[in-house]
Amino acid sequence: MKRILVTGGAGFVGSHLCDRLIQDGHAVICLDNLFTGSRTNIEHLLAHPNFSFIERDVQLPFFAQVDWIFNLACPASPVHYQEDPVETVRTSVLGMINMLELAKSTGARVLQASTSEVYGDPLCHPQDETYWGNVNPISRRACYDEGKRCAETLCFDYHREYGVDVKIIRIFNTYGPRMAKDDGRVVSNFILQALRGEDLTVYGDGSYTRSFQFIDDLIEGMMRMMEADGFTGPVNIGNPHEFTIGELATLVVEMTGSTSKIVHLPPVEHDPKQRKADIALAKEKLSWEPRIPLREGLLKTIVYFRKIL
Ligand code: NAD
Ligand code: UDP
């Protein structure tokens, strides 16, 4: 049994990770300030003897004797991370320093939840880990992209300077049950719009692409990375199947049996045009690849949103 700290553990990804860790018999401390996460996501774990929840900001130094740290605390959807961009940078950078300091003093292994956004609006397609990215440092997305890039820098500097055992995964768009309703991300938006009979809002002409990964595949990738000795990454964890946003809208309408129309709104400024994960490194080092196709994952997500509508 390991003692494990999960920052951002009451969020979408974090709560699924806590489930998995508890299921595997570990003791989990979930630290979250509930900015975008919610108690509902972890309600079912609160009474578990191996689970404890601490409502706290990751920007504050924190001490606990732990073996593993998963650092997920950070708003992830553009709507939320742009709401208070300075806070977003502080969370990524100060939060990372605090977790690395904790790892330094306890000898814990720390895994940083980085993002495909470090590739920016990529000029290389698909994106592998050797690509350094095309990020505009002064755009509205920069608070997130550059905050996450700096967090990666901090991981490597703590590793080189103090020998901290660091791991970095770059997560590509992930979806599934427990995404927040007001999240604004494309999968939750489209499903909710379809279920409510509202227009599906495609920003731009629908030709931009993303590769969508179901939550269970991400959690498996995170666990394999944390367990792998002698491999810092960064490593991409994402689904390599690329879809246009237009295709996603059509699929959601079909799968929900909705009468909603698909409408086109003006494109969003600095929206990356394409994104597709190159997962050769994850396959080689972690023997990991996603198993759940988009239709299957969407079905589970639709069932979830129908229930909470
Ligand atoms: P989320 O918003 O559901 O979860 C983030 C959690 O962090 C929330 O529970 C929030 O309350 C908490 N949090 C935010 N600021 C905090 C602070 N200062 N102190 C303590 N807690 C704080 O988002 P998610 O989709 O679950 O993302 C989890 C992590 O994975 C994030 O770091 C995100 O950048 C990364 N990621 C997610 C995706 C994705 O598609 N979901 C893609 C790439 C990277
Ligand atoms: N998008 C859209 N309609 C929506 C929400 C998002 O067309 O209601 C588009 C958005 O412009 C982007 C893509 O879907 O091109 C993915 O957006 P999301 O916010 O989910 O993730 P990210 O941009 O961070 O990859």
Side-chain angles (χ1 to χ4, degrees), residues 274-287:
Q274 52 181 8
R275 193 151 319 115
K276 174 179 158 93
D278 180 325
I279 57 162
L281 189 64
K283 276 189 189 166
E284 182 201 324
K285 297 282 189 186
L286 309 174
S287 305

Side-chain angles (χ1 to χ4, degrees), residues 11-13 32-33 35-37 57-58 72 91 144 148 174 185:
F12 158 52
V13 175
D32 199 300
N33 70 350
F35 174 49
T36 50
D57 198 313
V58 76
L72 276 64
T91 293
Y144 183 73
K148 289 284 187 179
T174 305
R185 278 182 278 189

Side-chain angles (χ1 to χ4, degrees), residues 7-14 31-38 56-59 71-77 80 87 91 113-116 144 148 171-175 183 185:
T7 77
F12 158 52
V13 175
L31 182 152
D32 199 300
N33 70 350
L34 301 180
F35 174 49
T36 50
S38 75
R56 188 181 170 92
D57 198 313
V58 76
Q59 293 176 37
N71 187 35
L72 276 64
C74 184
S77 90
H80 288 132
E87 194 66 9
T91 293
S114 191
T115 169
S116 55
Y144 183 73
K148 289 284 187 179
I171 305 171
F172 283 66
N173 295 64
T174 305
Y175 67 97
D183 200 67
R185 278 182 278 189

Side-chain angles (χ1 to χ4, degrees), residues 76-78 81 117 141 173 184-187 189-190 193 201-204 208 210 212 245 268 271-272 275:
S77 90
Y81 69 65
E117 300 285 331
R141 296 178 79 100
N173 295 64
R185 278 182 278 189
V186 69
V187 173
N189 264 14
F190 283 179
Q193 288 163 341
T201 52
V202 173
Y203 307 149
Y208 285 13
R210 293 293 186 270
F212 299 104
I245 300 302
V268 176
D271 195 5
R275 193 151 319 115

Side-chain angles (χ1 to χ4, degrees), residues 177-222:
R178 299 194 196 139
M179 291 181 91
K181 271 200 213 171
D182 61 349
D183 200 67
R185 278 182 278 189
V186 69
V187 173
S188 45
N189 264 14
F190 283 179
I191 292 177
L192 282 164
Q193 288 163 341
L195 294 178
R196 289 172 178 149
E198 296 165 3
D199 292 344
L200 271 69
T201 52
V202 173
Y203 307 149
D205 64 6
S207 65
Y208 285 13
T209 70
R210 293 293 186 270
S211 49
F212 299 104
Q213 156 174 252
F214 188 63
I215 183 68
D216 294 3
D217 284 328
L218 168 60
I219 299 300
E220 183 59 33
M222 287 179 110

Side-chain angles (χ1 to χ4, degrees), residues 3 46 67 120 128 136-137 144 181 189 234 236 238 244 278 296:
R3 294 154 302 176
L46 290 173
D67 306 301
D128 71 32
N136 175 350
Y144 183 73
K181 271 200 213 171
N189 264 14
N236 290 339
T244 68
D278 180 325
E296 189 182 330

Side-chain angles (χ1 to χ4, degrees), residues 29-282:
I29 303 171
C30 165
L31 182 152
D32 199 300
N33 70 350
L34 301 180
F35 174 49
T36 50
S38 75
R39 243 170 225 282
T40 321
N41 286 343
I42 50 165
E43 197 80 62
H44 57 289
L45 293 174
L46 290 173
H48 197 287
N50 291 347
F51 183 81
S52 55
F53 172 59
I54 300 176
E55 189 172 338
R56 188 181 170 92
D57 198 313
V58 76
Q59 293 176 37
L60 299 169
F62 177 74
F63 186 84
Q65 194 59 54
V66 287
D67 306 301
W68 285 354
I69 304 165
F70 287 91
N71 187 35
L72 276 64
C74 184
S77 90
V79 178
H80 288 132
Y81 69 65
Q82 289 170 16
E83 197 178 303
D84 189 342
V86 175
E87 194 66 9
T88 300
V89 175
R90 289 175 61 90
T91 293
S92 270
V93 176
L94 298 179
M96 190 75 254
I97 290 175
N98 287 332
M99 290 308 115
L100 288 163
E101 283 293 329
L102 179 61
K104 191 176 144 202
S105 63
T106 56
R109 176 173 280 186
V110 56
L111 181 146
Q112 165 63 358
S114 191
T115 169
S116 55
E117 300 285 331
V118 299
Y119 301 124
D121 194 358
L123 303 174
C124 145
H125 195 73
Q127 296 80 51
D128 71 32
E129 295 82 353
T130 62
Y131 180 54
W132 291 344
N134 177 38
V135 177
N136 175 350
I138 56 169
S139 84
R140 289 193 182 280
R141 296 178 79 100
C143 59
Y144 183 73
D145 304 3
E146 298 289 16
K148 289 284 187 179
R149 285 169 69 94
C150 185
E152 289 199 8
T153 306
L154 284 162
C155 285
F156 270 79
D157 285 335
Y158 269 76
H159 179 61
R160 284 184 290 248
E161 211 171 325
Y162 307 114
V164 172
D165 188 2
V166 299
K167 294 180 160 286
I168 296 173
I169 57 167
R170 293 183 178 152
I171 305 171
F172 283 66
N173 295 64
T174 305
Y175 67 97
R178 299 194 196 139
M179 291 181 91
K181 271 200 213 171
D182 61 349
D183 200 67
R185 278 182 278 189
V186 69
V187 173
S188 45
N189 264 14
F190 283 179
I191 292 177
L192 282 164
Q193 288 163 341
L195 294 178
R196 289 172 178 149
E198 296 165 3
D199 292 344
L200 271 69
T201 52
V202 173
Y203 307 149
D205 64 6
S207 65
Y208 285 13
T209 70
R210 293 293 186 270
S211 49
F212 299 104
Q213 156 174 252
F214 188 63
I215 183 68
D216 294 3
D217 284 328
L218 168 60
I219 299 300
E220 183 59 33
M222 287 179 110
M223 292 303 295
R224 288 194 191 199
M225 181 57 170
M226 191 52 127
E227 282 159 2
D229 290 327
F231 176 51
T232 54
V235 63
N236 290 339
I237 300 290
N239 193 310
H241 293 113
E242 188 181 12
F243 293 86
T244 68
I245 300 302
E247 283 169 339
L248 177 71
T250 309
L251 189 58
V252 169
V253 169
E254 179 216 309
M255 288 183 65
T256 49
S258 173
T259 52
S260 293
K261 289 196 300 293
I262 296 170
V263 299
H264 293 266
L265 301 183
V268 176
E269 205 190 3
H270 303 302
D271 195 5
K273 286 181 251 339
Q274 52 181 8
R275 193 151 319 115
K276 174 179 158 93
D278 180 325
I279 57 162
L281 189 64

